[in-house]
Amino acid sequence: MDRDELESLLAEKRILELVTAVRHPFLVNLFGCLQTPPACSWGLQFLHQHDIIYRDLKLDNLLMDAEGFVKLADFGLCKEGVGRFGRTGTFCGTPEFLAPEVLTEATYTRAVDWWGLGVLIFQMLVGESPFPGADEQEVFENIIQAAPRFPAHLSLPAVAVMRRLLRKDPMRRLGSGSGGARDVQRQAFFASVQWEELAARRVPPPFVPVLDSIEDVSNFDETFTVERAILTPPVSHRAISSSEQSLFSHFTYTADWC
């Protein structure tokens, strides 16, 4: 494991501990983590309030829990210490979700997360990316230069919120102002959402998965459920040094409510 991977791993654990400490309803919580013997418009708001930029908003990272509520998962690309005016410069993320400034500027702000929300809403309403391309380079060129085409069946509030989230200029992008997530939540597209009720999980989800037990995996693709659970073998079989082990001295964790 190189230094960047180590810092990413430890940052992800810190963020999960932060999320778990408040039992956040729309971010995955951490039940526990340990070392194996050989190697001994709510989720983003919470992260931004704690100066964390997410950088990987996409359908793959949205998971539904047993009660039908969606949670944001995978904090591996998060960056800590990035406040409203903070900037970072690591090139990372999923190609079709990258904000234009990630491709054109040396550094960028947490406004990239609101761009990602715009792409996500478009994909969920239209069924395809707002910036398609035959290859990655064409996708990047469209993200930088092209305007998304909104199908005629979309409502005006839907088009309006996407246009504001997909502004090329991050300073003008919805969510990047002092109001942050509140500015997004006030949009007409979300007029029917009872935000406080949703935060308390008192809004009935439109779909609740049917489960026989807490261990029921029938809602997952069999491609994954038929695989045997095995530990990923290490690249190197050498024993880690005491100095390397010290980097994980406080890694083991169990949520106090488990």
Side-chain angles (χ1 to χ4, degrees):
M1 176 180 290
D2 62 28
R3 189 70 193 180
D4 288 343
E5 292 175 321
L6 173 62
E7 291 178 353
S8 176
L9 173 63
L10 296 180
E12 183 169 15
K13 176 176 176 284
R14 287 194 298 269
I15 293 165
L16 281 167
E17 286 189 51
L18 175 68
V19 168
T20 304
V22 298
R23 300 286 298 274
H24 199 283
F26 304 115
L27 295 168
V28 294
N29 285 205
L30 177 66
F31 287 88
C33 65
L34 51 85
Q35 300 180 62
T36 54
C40 273
S41 187
W42 286 114
L44 291 181
Q45 179 184 34
F46 179 84
L47 295 176
H48 288 182
Q49 286 174 342
H50 290 81
D51 293 344
I52 297 169
I53 181 173
Y54 183 65
R55 300 195 293 190
D56 202 19
L57 189 62
K58 57 182 178 180
L59 290 170
D60 308 51
N61 288 340
L62 298 179
L63 304 180
M64 181 179 291
D65 68 14
E67 298 176 8
F69 291 97
V70 172
K71 295 191 175 188
L72 191 59
D74 192 349
F75 305 105
L77 294 185
C78 286
K79 177 73 172 180
E80 298 167 292
V82 183
R84 181 187 167 202
F85 299 107
R87 305 184 74 87
T88 187
T90 306
F91 183 86
C92 63
T94 302
E96 61 187 24
F97 282 84
L98 292 178
E101 62 267 27
V102 176
L103 301 170
T104 61
E105 300 178 19
T107 61
Y108 52 86
T109 69
R110 66 191 191 189
V112 299
D113 285 344
W114 298 117
W115 173 277
L117 179 61
V119 176
L120 185 68
I121 293 174
F122 189 100
Q123 286 196 349
M124 296 182 75
L125 293 180
V126 181
E128 60 184 43
S129 171
F131 305 101
D135 53 36
E136 194 172 271
Q137 186 57 41
E138 186 176 354
V139 170
F140 290 167
E141 290 175 357
N142 286 334
I143 289 173
I144 296 169
Q145 301 174 1
R149 297 182 178 180
F150 300 102
H153 67 79
L154 294 176
S155 68
L156 290 179
V159 173
V161 73
M162 286 186 284
R163 285 191 187 280
R164 292 164 184 162
L165 288 167
L166 295 175
R167 285 172 175 158
K168 308 288 188 186
D169 182 354
M171 299 297 292
R172 297 183 58 249
R173 190 172 302 148
L174 180 64
S176 65
S178 59
R182 294 189 302 275
D183 290 342
V184 178
Q185 294 167 356
R186 293 189 186 108
Q187 297 298 301
F189 181 70
F190 299 111
S192 64
V193 178
Q194 301 174 29
W195 292 103
E196 296 304 320
E197 292 293 295
L198 179 61
R201 294 168 66 97
R202 290 194 290 262
V203 175
F207 171 80
V208 178
V210 177
L211 301 173
D212 293 332
S213 69
I214 194 65
E215 297 181 349
D216 183 359
V217 294
S218 60
N219 291 285
F220 291 86
D221 195 295
E222 289 186 358
T223 302
F224 306 104
T225 59
V226 299
E227 293 184 356
R228 290 176 55 244
I230 58 174
L231 291 174
T232 303
V235 176
S236 172
H237 294 282
R238 72 171 178 82
I240 64 173
S241 66
S242 58
S243 61
E244 290 172 326
Q245 178 60 55
S246 67
L247 297 171
F248 296 90
S249 59
H250 301 292
F251 191 76
T252 301
Y253 170 88
T254 302
D256 56 14
W257 46 267
C258 290

